[in-house]
Amino acid sequence: MLDCQTKKGQVYISHENWTANWIEDRANGKTKLRKFKELTSRADRVAFSISGAKQALIEIKARNMTLNQLNNWGNEYMISEDKINKCQKLSVKYKIPFFVFVNLIDDKYILRLKVLNNKGEFVIPYRIEYDKETQSTCNGGKKFDNVYMLKASPESIIPK
């Protein structure tokens, strides 16, 4: 059974879908999000303008965390090196920026991180940790992964 088919996986998917709707609502009809069709993307959605032009590549996450926990962890958000590499290629290919939105489920905030510009260049402070032990899926397990630690600024924290 895939994680997305489990009860716990469905809870996270519902929070991610809520966040996608929240992003569209904040765009006041100027942006629509569509699930990304390219299987190798590892991103969740692409933002399109009302004229149909691609605007941004978007990864949406839902995490059981609070703003206080984020602060205690040095205001850094962890994302896999593999995801960054794949999204960087797509950012360059389509000439669009890459954003990560994180719904802090246990709090009233969304984290909005602009990671790459439309040339695939980093526009956020980051550091890389190698062979970091991480949780394998939302249902548990452990794995070792190379991860980017993306630095969140106060401007990246938006009330829901």
Side-chain angles (χ1 to χ4, degrees):
M1 178 182 289
L2 297 173
D3 282 303
C4 64
Q5 296 171 320
T6 67
K7 188 173 186 176
K8 193 170 192 177
Q10 289 295 309
V11 169
Y12 285 100
I13 288 171
S14 71
H15 285 290
E16 290 171 11
N17 289 336
W18 181 92
T19 305
N21 291 333
W22 178 87
I23 293 167
E24 284 186 345
D25 288 346
R26 287 183 56 90
N28 296 319
K30 296 178 183 166
T31 297
K32 289 292 179 192
L33 301 185
R34 293 189 199 134
K35 291 216 179 219
F36 204 79
K37 303 275 188 229
E38 201 165 319
L39 293 176
T40 60
S41 73
R42 302 280 304 243
D44 293 310
R45 290 170 171 82
V46 175
F48 288 89
S49 69
I50 53 174
S51 67
K54 288 181 180 80
Q55 294 176 313
L57 183 62
I58 297 177
E59 175 68 16
I60 300 174
K61 292 295 184 190
R63 294 291 182 254
N64 292 100
M65 68 177 355
T66 64
L67 186 57
N68 191 47
Q69 286 172 311
L70 182 70
N71 290 335
N72 289 340
W73 295 330
N75 290 318
E76 291 182 315
Y77 181 73
M78 181 175 63
I79 187 168
S80 77
E81 179 183 51
D82 184 54
K83 186 171 298 263
I84 290 287
N85 290 343
K86 287 182 179 183
C87 290
Q88 190 171 37
K89 288 177 185 171
L90 290 167
S91 176
V92 170
K93 177 179 177 179
Y94 294 115
K95 297 179 176 65
I96 55 175
F98 171 53
F99 289 85
V100 175
F101 285 82
V102 184
N103 183 338
L104 303 180
I105 296 171
D106 297 335
D107 213 333
K108 57 184 182 223
Y109 299 100
I110 300 282
L111 189 60
R112 177 193 173 272
L113 303 170
K114 184 176 182 182
V115 181
L116 306 170
N117 64 18
N118 63 355
K119 297 176 186 172
E121 301 165 331
F122 279 89
V123 293
I124 188 172
Y126 69 90
R127 62 188 177 85
I128 301 173
E129 287 191 21
Y130 298 95
D131 296 319
K132 181 170 180 66
E133 185 176 316
T134 64
Q135 186 170 313
S136 193
T137 72
C138 67
N139 290 299
K142 294 185 184 202
K143 66 178 181 171
F144 290 90
D145 204 357
N146 296 336
V147 296
Y148 278 75
M149 304 300 291
L150 306 175
K151 189 73 167 177
S153 68
E155 298 81 33
S156 65
I157 300 162
I158 304 168
K160 290 182 187 174

mmCIF file of all heavy atoms in Angstrom, residues 11-27 31-33 44-45 58-63 99-113 158-160:
data_model
loop_
_atom_site.group_PDB
_atom_site.id
_atom_site.type_symbol
_atom_site.label_atom_id
_atom_site.label_comp_id
_atom_site.label_asym_id
_atom_site.label_seq_id
_atom_site.Cartn_x
_atom_site.Cartn_y
_atom_site.Cartn_z
ATOM 1 N N VAL A 11 -4.672 12.337 5.493
ATOM 2 C CA VAL A 11 -4.745 13.554 6.317
ATOM 3 C C VAL A 11 -3.770 14.600 5.777
ATOM 4 O O VAL A 11 -4.122 15.772 5.596
ATOM 5 C CB VAL A 11 -4.450 13.233 7.801
ATOM 6 C CG1 VAL A 11 -4.248 14.512 8.611
ATOM 7 C CG2 VAL A 11 -5.566 12.385 8.386
ATOM 8 N N TYR A 12 -2.545 14.177 5.487
ATOM 9 C CA TYR A 12 -1.554 15.119 4.964
ATOM 10 C C TYR A 12 -1.962 15.634 3.584
ATOM 11 O O TYR A 12 -1.799 16.822 3.285
ATOM 12 C CB TYR A 12 -0.154 14.482 4.920
ATOM 13 C CG TYR A 12 0.459 14.385 6.287
ATOM 14 C CD1 TYR A 12 0.446 13.185 6.985
ATOM 15 C CD2 TYR A 12 1.029 15.495 6.892
ATOM 16 C CE1 TYR A 12 0.988 13.093 8.256
ATOM 17 C CE2 TYR A 12 1.584 15.413 8.157
ATOM 18 C CZ TYR A 12 1.559 14.213 8.837
ATOM 19 O OH TYR A 12 2.089 14.137 10.095
ATOM 20 N N ILE A 13 -2.485 14.781 2.762
ATOM 21 C CA ILE A 13 -2.943 15.210 1.434
ATOM 22 C C ILE A 13 -4.059 16.241 1.558
ATOM 23 O O ILE A 13 -4.087 17.224 0.816
ATOM 24 C CB ILE A 13 -3.380 13.992 0.588
ATOM 25 C CG1 ILE A 13 -2.136 13.197 0.176
ATOM 26 C CG2 ILE A 13 -4.168 14.425 -0.645
ATOM 27 C CD1 ILE A 13 -2.439 11.856 -0.468
ATOM 28 N N SER A 14 -4.960 16.066 2.506
ATOM 29 C CA SER A 14 -6.042 17.047 2.683
ATOM 30 C C SER A 14 -5.477 18.409 3.092
ATOM 31 O O SER A 14 -5.942 19.447 2.633
ATOM 32 C CB SER A 14 -7.085 16.553 3.686
ATOM 33 O OG SER A 14 -6.585 16.564 4.995
ATOM 34 N N HIS A 15 -4.437 18.414 3.940
ATOM 35 C CA HIS A 15 -3.794 19.682 4.330
ATOM 36 C C HIS A 15 -3.066 20.307 3.140
ATOM 37 O O HIS A 15 -3.063 21.535 2.979
ATOM 38 C CB HIS A 15 -2.827 19.461 5.486
ATOM 39 C CG HIS A 15 -3.494 19.263 6.806
ATOM 40 N ND1 HIS A 15 -4.150 20.262 7.479
ATOM 41 C CD2 HIS A 15 -3.607 18.151 7.575
ATOM 42 C CE1 HIS A 15 -4.645 19.793 8.616
ATOM 43 N NE2 HIS A 15 -4.325 18.507 8.691
ATOM 44 N N GLU A 16 -2.446 19.481 2.320
ATOM 45 C CA GLU A 16 -1.763 20.005 1.125
ATOM 46 C C GLU A 16 -2.774 20.595 0.144
ATOM 47 O O GLU A 16 -2.540 21.665 -0.433
ATOM 48 C CB GLU A 16 -0.935 18.908 0.475
ATOM 49 C CG GLU A 16 0.278 18.525 1.299
ATOM 50 C CD GLU A 16 1.016 17.292 0.793
ATOM 51 O OE1 GLU A 16 0.725 16.825 -0.331
ATOM 52 O OE2 GLU A 16 1.891 16.797 1.527
ATOM 53 N N ASN A 17 -3.901 19.926 -0.051
ATOM 54 C CA ASN A 17 -4.942 20.454 -0.941
ATOM 55 C C ASN A 17 -5.516 21.760 -0.397
ATOM 56 O O ASN A 17 -5.770 22.697 -1.158
ATOM 57 C CB ASN A 17 -6.048 19.426 -1.152
ATOM 58 C CG ASN A 17 -5.592 18.266 -2.006
ATOM 59 O OD1 ASN A 17 -4.653 18.382 -2.806
ATOM 60 N ND2 ASN A 17 -6.227 17.117 -1.832
ATOM 61 N N TRP A 18 -5.707 21.828 0.924
ATOM 62 C CA TRP A 18 -6.186 23.067 1.539
ATOM 63 C C TRP A 18 -5.200 24.201 1.258
ATOM 64 O O TRP A 18 -5.593 25.316 0.915
ATOM 65 C CB TRP A 18 -6.356 22.879 3.061
ATOM 66 C CG TRP A 18 -6.880 24.116 3.726
ATOM 67 C CD1 TRP A 18 -8.191 24.428 3.958
ATOM 68 C CD2 TRP A 18 -6.104 25.224 4.213
ATOM 69 N NE1 TRP A 18 -8.264 25.671 4.559
ATOM 70 C CE2 TRP A 18 -7.004 26.170 4.727
ATOM 71 C CE3 TRP A 18 -4.738 25.498 4.252
ATOM 72 C CZ2 TRP A 18 -6.583 27.383 5.282
ATOM 73 C CZ3 TRP A 18 -4.318 26.702 4.792
ATOM 74 C CH2 TRP A 18 -5.227 27.624 5.312
ATOM 75 N N THR A 19 -3.905 23.891 1.372
ATOM 76 C CA THR A 19 -2.872 24.902 1.128
ATOM 77 C C THR A 19 -2.883 25.358 -0.325
ATOM 78 O O THR A 19 -2.738 26.554 -0.606
ATOM 79 C CB THR A 19 -1.485 24.347 1.521
ATOM 80 O OG1 THR A 19 -1.534 23.885 2.878
ATOM 81 C CG2 THR A 19 -0.404 25.401 1.376
ATOM 82 N N ALA A 20 -3.080 24.444 -1.259
ATOM 83 C CA ALA A 20 -3.168 24.816 -2.683
ATOM 84 C C ALA A 20 -4.341 25.767 -2.899
ATOM 85 O O ALA A 20 -4.208 26.785 -3.607
ATOM 86 C CB ALA A 20 -3.313 23.575 -3.556
ATOM 87 N N ASN A 21 -5.467 25.488 -2.280
ATOM 88 C CA ASN A 21 -6.626 26.388 -2.392
ATOM 89 C C ASN A 21 -6.333 27.742 -1.759
ATOM 90 O O ASN A 21 -6.724 28.782 -2.285
ATOM 91 C CB ASN A 21 -7.862 25.756 -1.751
ATOM 92 C CG ASN A 21 -8.367 24.573 -2.538
ATOM 93 O OD1 ASN A 21 -8.176 24.482 -3.745
ATOM 94 N ND2 ASN A 21 -9.000 23.641 -1.851
ATOM 95 N N TRP A 22 -5.616 27.742 -0.628
ATOM 96 C CA TRP A 22 -5.233 28.972 0.061
ATOM 97 C C TRP A 22 -4.359 29.830 -0.856
ATOM 98 O O TRP A 22 -4.539 31.049 -0.934
ATOM 99 C CB TRP A 22 -4.502 28.608 1.355
ATOM 100 C CG TRP A 22 -3.992 29.748 2.168
ATOM 101 C CD1 TRP A 22 -4.676 30.453 3.127
ATOM 102 C CD2 TRP A 22 -2.675 30.315 2.125
ATOM 103 N NE1 TRP A 22 -3.867 31.419 3.666
ATOM 104 C CE2 TRP A 22 -2.629 31.354 3.067
ATOM 105 C CE3 TRP A 22 -1.534 30.044 1.373
ATOM 106 C CZ2 TRP A 22 -1.486 32.118 3.284
ATOM 107 C CZ3 TRP A 22 -0.402 30.803 1.586
ATOM 108 C CH2 TRP A 22 -0.381 31.828 2.534
ATOM 109 N N ILE A 23 -3.406 29.204 -1.548
ATOM 110 C CA ILE A 23 -2.534 29.936 -2.476
ATOM 111 C C ILE A 23 -3.366 30.574 -3.586
ATOM 112 O O ILE A 23 -3.196 31.760 -3.907
ATOM 113 C CB ILE A 23 -1.457 28.996 -3.072
ATOM 114 C CG1 ILE A 23 -0.483 28.528 -1.982
ATOM 115 C CG2 ILE A 23 -0.701 29.676 -4.218
ATOM 116 C CD1 ILE A 23 0.410 27.367 -2.399
ATOM 117 N N GLU A 24 -4.267 29.809 -4.178
ATOM 118 C CA GLU A 24 -5.126 30.351 -5.241
ATOM 119 C C GLU A 24 -5.990 31.496 -4.727
ATOM 120 O O GLU A 24 -6.146 32.515 -5.411
ATOM 121 C CB GLU A 24 -6.005 29.252 -5.835
ATOM 122 C CG GLU A 24 -5.268 28.321 -6.754
ATOM 123 C CD GLU A 24 -6.187 27.321 -7.444
ATOM 124 O OE1 GLU A 24 -7.351 27.137 -7.016
ATOM 125 O OE2 GLU A 24 -5.727 26.715 -8.429
ATOM 126 N N ASP A 25 -6.564 31.341 -3.540
ATOM 127 C CA ASP A 25 -7.411 32.405 -2.969
ATOM 128 C C ASP A 25 -6.623 33.695 -2.787
ATOM 129 O O ASP A 25 -7.125 34.786 -3.062
ATOM 130 C CB ASP A 25 -8.001 31.969 -1.625
ATOM 131 C CG ASP A 25 -9.074 30.911 -1.761
ATOM 132 O OD1 ASP A 25 -9.572 30.685 -2.890
ATOM 133 O OD2 ASP A 25 -9.416 30.295 -0.732
ATOM 134 N N ARG A 26 -5.389 33.586 -2.338
ATOM 135 C CA ARG A 26 -4.554 34.782 -2.120
ATOM 136 C C ARG A 26 -4.168 35.448 -3.440
ATOM 137 O O ARG A 26 -3.832 36.624 -3.469
ATOM 138 C CB ARG A 26 -3.293 34.422 -1.333
ATOM 139 C CG ARG A 26 -3.595 34.130 0.120
ATOM 140 C CD ARG A 26 -2.351 33.839 0.920
ATOM 141 N NE ARG A 26 -1.361 34.877 0.851
ATOM 142 C CZ ARG A 26 -1.271 35.928 1.677
ATOM 143 N NH1 ARG A 26 -2.136 36.067 2.639
ATOM 144 N NH2 ARG A 26 -0.299 36.817 1.536
ATOM 145 N N ALA A 27 -4.211 34.697 -4.535
ATOM 146 C CA ALA A 27 -3.865 35.253 -5.848
ATOM 147 C C ALA A 27 -5.034 36.005 -6.481
ATOM 148 O O ALA A 27 -4.878 36.588 -7.561
ATOM 149 C CB ALA A 27 -3.402 34.136 -6.781
ATOM 150 N N THR A 31 -4.064 33.471 -10.539
ATOM 151 C CA THR A 31 -3.243 32.263 -10.621
ATOM 152 C C THR A 31 -4.093 31.033 -10.339
ATOM 153 O O THR A 31 -4.914 31.037 -9.425
ATOM 154 C CB THR A 31 -2.093 32.317 -9.593
ATOM 155 O OG1 THR A 31 -1.241 33.426 -9.908
ATOM 156 C CG2 THR A 31 -1.271 31.052 -9.598
ATOM 157 N N LYS A 32 -3.855 29.997 -11.126
ATOM 158 C CA LYS A 32 -4.475 28.697 -10.893
ATOM 159 C C LYS A 32 -3.362 27.671 -10.749
ATOM 160 O O LYS A 32 -2.368 27.721 -11.479
ATOM 161 C CB LYS A 32 -5.393 28.294 -12.056
ATOM 162 C CG LYS A 32 -6.663 29.099 -12.131
ATOM 163 C CD LYS A 32 -7.548 28.771 -10.948
ATOM 164 C CE LYS A 32 -8.828 29.578 -10.986
ATOM 165 N NZ LYS A 32 -9.558 29.485 -9.739
ATOM 166 N N LEU A 33 -3.536 26.750 -9.831
ATOM 167 C CA LEU A 33 -2.551 25.690 -9.634
ATOM 168 C C LEU A 33 -3.067 24.410 -10.263
ATOM 169 O O LEU A 33 -4.234 24.066 -10.128
ATOM 170 C CB LEU A 33 -2.301 25.445 -8.145
ATOM 171 C CG LEU A 33 -1.787 26.621 -7.328
ATOM 172 C CD1 LEU A 33 -1.478 26.170 -5.911
ATOM 173 C CD2 LEU A 33 -0.573 27.265 -7.948
ATOM 174 N N ASP A 44 4.781 19.327 -6.648
ATOM 175 C CA ASP A 44 3.347 19.075 -6.561
ATOM 176 C C ASP A 44 2.536 19.736 -7.663
ATOM 177 O O ASP A 44 1.651 19.125 -8.235
ATOM 178 C CB ASP A 44 2.810 19.559 -5.212
ATOM 179 C CG ASP A 44 3.357 18.742 -4.076
ATOM 180 O OD1 ASP A 44 3.289 17.507 -4.152
ATOM 181 O OD2 ASP A 44 3.847 19.333 -3.101
ATOM 182 N N ARG A 45 2.843 20.996 -7.920
ATOM 183 C CA ARG A 45 1.984 21.754 -8.825
ATOM 184 C C ARG A 45 2.773 22.792 -9.618
ATOM 185 O O ARG A 45 3.877 23.158 -9.251
ATOM 186 C CB ARG A 45 0.894 22.461 -8.023
ATOM 187 C CG ARG A 45 -0.126 21.477 -7.438
ATOM 188 C CD ARG A 45 -1.044 22.170 -6.452
ATOM 189 N NE ARG A 45 -2.136 21.322 -6.040
ATOM 190 C CZ ARG A 45 -2.063 20.386 -5.102
ATOM 191 N NH1 ARG A 45 -0.926 20.140 -4.503
ATOM 192 N NH2 ARG A 45 -3.125 19.674 -4.778
ATOM 193 N N ILE A 58 5.771 24.615 -7.794
ATOM 194 C CA ILE A 58 5.433 24.689 -6.373
ATOM 195 C C ILE A 58 5.445 23.312 -5.722
ATOM 196 O O ILE A 58 4.821 22.377 -6.221
ATOM 197 C CB ILE A 58 4.045 25.344 -6.188
ATOM 198 C CG1 ILE A 58 4.101 26.780 -6.703
ATOM 199 C CG2 ILE A 58 3.608 25.296 -4.729
ATOM 200 C CD1 ILE A 58 2.799 27.521 -6.644
ATOM 201 N N GLU A 59 6.127 23.242 -4.602
ATOM 202 C CA GLU A 59 6.105 22.069 -3.740
ATOM 203 C C GLU A 59 5.303 22.450 -2.500
ATOM 204 O O GLU A 59 5.575 23.485 -1.882
ATOM 205 C CB GLU A 59 7.532 21.673 -3.346
ATOM 206 C CG GLU A 59 7.636 20.548 -2.376
ATOM 207 C CD GLU A 59 7.204 19.204 -2.952
ATOM 208 O OE1 GLU A 59 7.099 19.066 -4.191
ATOM 209 O OE2 GLU A 59 6.968 18.289 -2.161
ATOM 210 N N ILE A 60 4.315 21.652 -2.145
ATOM 211 C CA ILE A 60 3.488 21.928 -0.973
ATOM 212 C C ILE A 60 3.685 20.806 0.029
ATOM 213 O O ILE A 60 3.581 19.633 -0.308
ATOM 214 C CB ILE A 60 1.997 22.040 -1.347
ATOM 215 C CG1 ILE A 60 1.784 23.174 -2.349
ATOM 216 C CG2 ILE A 60 1.151 22.259 -0.089
ATOM 217 C CD1 ILE A 60 0.369 23.271 -2.878
ATOM 218 N N LYS A 61 3.949 21.201 1.263
ATOM 219 C CA LYS A 61 4.126 20.243 2.350
ATOM 220 C C LYS A 61 3.205 20.619 3.497
ATOM 221 O O LYS A 61 2.853 21.788 3.679
ATOM 222 C CB LYS A 61 5.581 20.247 2.861
ATOM 223 C CG LYS A 61 6.564 19.714 1.858
ATOM 224 C CD LYS A 61 6.298 18.263 1.588
ATOM 225 C CE LYS A 61 7.303 17.644 0.664
ATOM 226 N NZ LYS A 61 6.909 16.327 0.223
ATOM 227 N N ALA A 62 2.828 19.633 4.277
ATOM 228 C CA ALA A 62 2.078 19.832 5.510
ATOM 229 C C ALA A 62 2.882 19.166 6.614
ATOM 230 O O ALA A 62 3.256 17.996 6.489
ATOM 231 C CB ALA A 62 0.688 19.221 5.395
ATOM 232 N N ARG A 63 3.177 19.907 7.668
ATOM 233 C CA ARG A 63 4.017 19.381 8.741
ATOM 234 C C ARG A 63 3.374 19.626 10.093
ATOM 235 O O ARG A 63 2.836 20.702 10.359
ATOM 236 C CB ARG A 63 5.406 20.041 8.725
ATOM 237 C CG ARG A 63 6.223 19.694 7.495
ATOM 238 C CD ARG A 63 6.639 18.224 7.525
ATOM 239 N NE ARG A 63 7.448 17.861 6.396
ATOM 240 C CZ ARG A 63 7.029 17.137 5.359
ATOM 241 N NH1 ARG A 63 5.771 16.729 5.301
ATOM 242 N NH2 ARG A 63 7.838 16.825 4.378
ATOM 243 N N PHE A 99 9.101 27.436 -5.650
ATOM 244 C CA PHE A 99 8.685 27.796 -4.298
ATOM 245 C C PHE A 99 8.351 26.543 -3.498
ATOM 246 O O PHE A 99 7.865 25.561 -4.058
ATOM 247 C CB PHE A 99 7.419 28.656 -4.327
ATOM 248 C CG PHE A 99 7.611 30.044 -4.848
ATOM 249 C CD1 PHE A 99 7.578 30.295 -6.209
ATOM 250 C CD2 PHE A 99 7.795 31.108 -3.978
ATOM 251 C CE1 PHE A 99 7.733 31.575 -6.698
ATOM 252 C CE2 PHE A 99 7.957 32.395 -4.467
ATOM 253 C CZ PHE A 99 7.927 32.639 -5.831
ATOM 254 N N VAL A 100 8.558 26.628 -2.187
ATOM 255 C CA VAL A 100 8.089 25.607 -1.262
ATOM 256 C C VAL A 100 7.124 26.292 -0.297
ATOM 257 O O VAL A 100 7.458 27.323 0.294
ATOM 258 C CB VAL A 100 9.251 24.961 -0.472
ATOM 259 C CG1 VAL A 100 8.715 23.988 0.570
ATOM 260 C CG2 VAL A 100 10.222 24.271 -1.413
ATOM 261 N N PHE A 101 5.928 25.736 -0.179
ATOM 262 C CA PHE A 101 4.943 26.196 0.797
ATOM 263 C C PHE A 101 4.779 25.094 1.832
ATOM 264 O O PHE A 101 4.584 23.926 1.466
ATOM 265 C CB PHE A 101 3.591 26.473 0.130
ATOM 266 C CG PHE A 101 3.548 27.730 -0.677
ATOM 267 C CD1 PHE A 101 4.034 27.756 -1.975
ATOM 268 C CD2 PHE A 101 3.023 28.898 -0.140
ATOM 269 C CE1 PHE A 101 3.996 28.912 -2.734
ATOM 270 C CE2 PHE A 101 2.981 30.058 -0.895
ATOM 271 C CZ PHE A 101 3.463 30.072 -2.185
ATOM 272 N N VAL A 102 4.851 25.458 3.108
ATOM 273 C CA VAL A 102 4.712 24.485 4.188
ATOM 274 C C VAL A 102 3.569 24.927 5.097
ATOM 275 O O VAL A 102 3.629 26.003 5.699
ATOM 276 C CB VAL A 102 6.011 24.351 5.018
ATOM 277 C CG1 VAL A 102 5.857 23.260 6.069
ATOM 278 C CG2 VAL A 102 7.209 24.089 4.124
ATOM 279 N N ASN A 103 2.540 24.096 5.182
ATOM 280 C CA ASN A 103 1.431 24.343 6.095
ATOM 281 C C ASN A 103 1.872 23.838 7.465
ATOM 282 O O ASN A 103 2.085 22.638 7.649
ATOM 283 C CB ASN A 103 0.191 23.596 5.607
ATOM 284 C CG ASN A 103 -1.030 23.862 6.458
ATOM 285 O OD1 ASN A 103 -0.933 24.255 7.613
ATOM 286 N ND2 ASN A 103 -2.194 23.617 5.881
ATOM 287 N N LEU A 104 2.049 24.761 8.412
ATOM 288 C CA LEU A 104 2.379 24.382 9.784
ATOM 289 C C LEU A 104 1.061 23.968 10.440
ATOM 290 O O LEU A 104 0.325 24.783 10.971
ATOM 291 C CB LEU A 104 3.047 25.536 10.528
ATOM 292 C CG LEU A 104 4.323 26.093 9.892
ATOM 293 C CD1 LEU A 104 4.883 27.235 10.723
ATOM 294 C CD2 LEU A 104 5.365 25.008 9.695
ATOM 295 N N ILE A 105 0.755 22.691 10.350
ATOM 296 C CA ILE A 105 -0.556 22.164 10.740
ATOM 297 C C ILE A 105 -0.913 22.539 12.170
ATOM 298 O O ILE A 105 -2.060 22.883 12.459
ATOM 299 C CB ILE A 105 -0.593 20.625 10.573
ATOM 300 C CG1 ILE A 105 -0.421 20.239 9.107
ATOM 301 C CG2 ILE A 105 -1.896 20.049 11.124
ATOM 302 C CD1 ILE A 105 -0.227 18.744 8.887
ATOM 303 N N ASP A 106 0.048 22.487 13.065
ATOM 304 C CA ASP A 106 -0.228 22.725 14.482
ATOM 305 C C ASP A 106 -0.200 24.200 14.859
ATOM 306 O O ASP A 106 -0.155 24.544 16.040
ATOM 307 C CB ASP A 106 0.787 21.958 15.343
ATOM 308 C CG ASP A 106 0.669 20.457 15.161
ATOM 309 O OD1 ASP A 106 -0.422 19.981 14.787
ATOM 310 O OD2 ASP A 106 1.670 19.753 15.397
ATOM 311 N N ASP A 107 -0.230 25.065 13.862
ATOM 312 C CA ASP A 107 -0.179 26.507 14.109
ATOM 313 C C ASP A 107 -0.993 27.219 13.043
ATOM 314 O O ASP A 107 -1.558 26.593 12.155
ATOM 315 C CB ASP A 107 1.281 26.987 14.090
ATOM 316 C CG ASP A 107 1.547 28.136 15.054
ATOM 317 O OD1 ASP A 107 0.606 28.900 15.359
ATOM 318 O OD2 ASP A 107 2.700 28.272 15.498
ATOM 319 N N LYS A 108 -1.022 28.531 13.103
ATOM 320 C CA LYS A 108 -1.845 29.316 12.183
ATOM 321 C C LYS A 108 -1.014 30.007 11.103
ATOM 322 O O LYS A 108 -1.332 31.109 10.674
ATOM 323 C CB LYS A 108 -2.663 30.332 12.976
ATOM 324 C CG LYS A 108 -1.811 31.263 13.816
ATOM 325 C CD LYS A 108 -2.637 32.194 14.662
ATOM 326 C CE LYS A 108 -1.696 33.115 15.420
ATOM 327 N NZ LYS A 108 -2.016 33.344 16.768
ATOM 328 N N TYR A 109 0.047 29.324 10.649
ATOM 329 C CA TYR A 109 0.952 29.927 9.677
ATOM 330 C C TYR A 109 1.252 29.002 8.502
ATOM 331 O O TYR A 109 1.213 27.790 8.623
ATOM 332 C CB TYR A 109 2.290 30.314 10.337
ATOM 333 C CG TYR A 109 2.126 31.326 11.433
ATOM 334 C CD1 TYR A 109 2.129 30.931 12.757
ATOM 335 C CD2 TYR A 109 1.933 32.675 11.128
ATOM 336 C CE1 TYR A 109 1.964 31.860 13.775
ATOM 337 C CE2 TYR A 109 1.757 33.606 12.145
ATOM 338 C CZ TYR A 109 1.774 33.196 13.462
ATOM 339 O OH TYR A 109 1.599 34.109 14.467
ATOM 340 N N ILE A 110 1.589 29.660 7.393
ATOM 341 C CA ILE A 110 2.114 29.002 6.201
ATOM 342 C C ILE A 110 3.523 29.546 5.997
ATOM 343 O O ILE A 110 3.756 30.756 6.098
ATOM 344 C CB ILE A 110 1.273 29.331 4.939
ATOM 345 C CG1 ILE A 110 -0.174 28.890 5.100
ATOM 346 C CG2 ILE A 110 1.924 28.765 3.679
ATOM 347 C CD1 ILE A 110 -0.440 27.425 4.914
ATOM 348 N N LEU A 111 4.446 28.675 5.706
ATOM 349 C CA LEU A 111 5.818 29.067 5.387
ATOM 350 C C LEU A 111 5.923 29.136 3.872
ATOM 351 O O LEU A 111 5.585 28.179 3.179
ATOM 352 C CB LEU A 111 6.762 28.016 5.962
ATOM 353 C CG LEU A 111 8.249 28.271 5.948
ATOM 354 C CD1 LEU A 111 8.586 29.519 6.733
ATOM 355 C CD2 LEU A 111 8.960 27.068 6.557
ATOM 356 N N ARG A 112 6.337 30.274 3.335
ATOM 357 C CA ARG A 112 6.467 30.475 1.883
ATOM 358 C C ARG A 112 7.932 30.755 1.580
ATOM 359 O O ARG A 112 8.462 31.809 1.931
ATOM 360 C CB ARG A 112 5.606 31.647 1.426
ATOM 361 C CG ARG A 112 5.747 31.973 -0.041
ATOM 362 C CD ARG A 112 5.088 33.350 -0.305
ATOM 363 N NE ARG A 112 5.308 33.811 -1.632
ATOM 364 C CZ ARG A 112 6.355 34.521 -2.052
ATOM 365 N NH1 ARG A 112 7.320 34.845 -1.228
ATOM 366 N NH2 ARG A 112 6.445 34.917 -3.293
ATOM 367 N N LEU A 113 8.588 29.799 0.930
ATOM 368 C CA LEU A 113 10.010 29.929 0.631
ATOM 369 C C LEU A 113 10.230 29.984 -0.871
ATOM 370 O O LEU A 113 9.925 29.021 -1.578
ATOM 371 C CB LEU A 113 10.772 28.728 1.208
ATOM 372 C CG LEU A 113 10.623 28.480 2.708
ATOM 373 C CD1 LEU A 113 11.226 27.144 3.082
ATOM 374 C CD2 LEU A 113 11.251 29.612 3.495
ATOM 375 N N ILE A 158 3.624 33.509 6.867
ATOM 376 C CA ILE A 158 2.382 34.200 6.519
ATOM 377 C C ILE A 158 1.234 33.600 7.337
ATOM 378 O O ILE A 158 1.074 32.386 7.394
ATOM 379 C CB ILE A 158 2.076 34.022 5.012
ATOM 380 C CG1 ILE A 158 3.274 34.508 4.192
ATOM 381 C CG2 ILE A 158 0.810 34.754 4.618
ATOM 382 C CD1 ILE A 158 3.201 34.115 2.735
ATOM 383 N N PRO A 159 0.404 34.454 7.968
ATOM 384 C CA PRO A 159 -0.768 33.925 8.685
ATOM 385 C C PRO A 159 -1.733 33.237 7.717
ATOM 386 O O PRO A 159 -1.911 33.677 6.581
ATOM 387 C CB PRO A 159 -1.414 35.160 9.296
ATOM 388 C CG PRO A 159 -0.377 36.221 9.257
ATOM 389 C CD PRO A 159 0.525 35.901 8.094
ATOM 390 N N LYS A 160 -2.359 32.158 8.188
ATOM 391 C CA LYS A 160 -3.349 31.437 7.365
ATOM 392 C C LYS A 160 -4.594 32.283 7.201
ATOM 393 O O LYS A 160 -4.968 33.055 8.021
ATOM 394 C CB LYS A 160 -3.733 30.111 8.025
ATOM 395 C CG LYS A 160 -2.627 29.078 8.014
ATOM 396 C CD LYS A 160 -3.109 27.780 8.641
ATOM 397 C CE LYS A 160 -1.970 26.797 8.787
ATOM 398 N NZ LYS A 160 -2.339 25.597 9.515
#
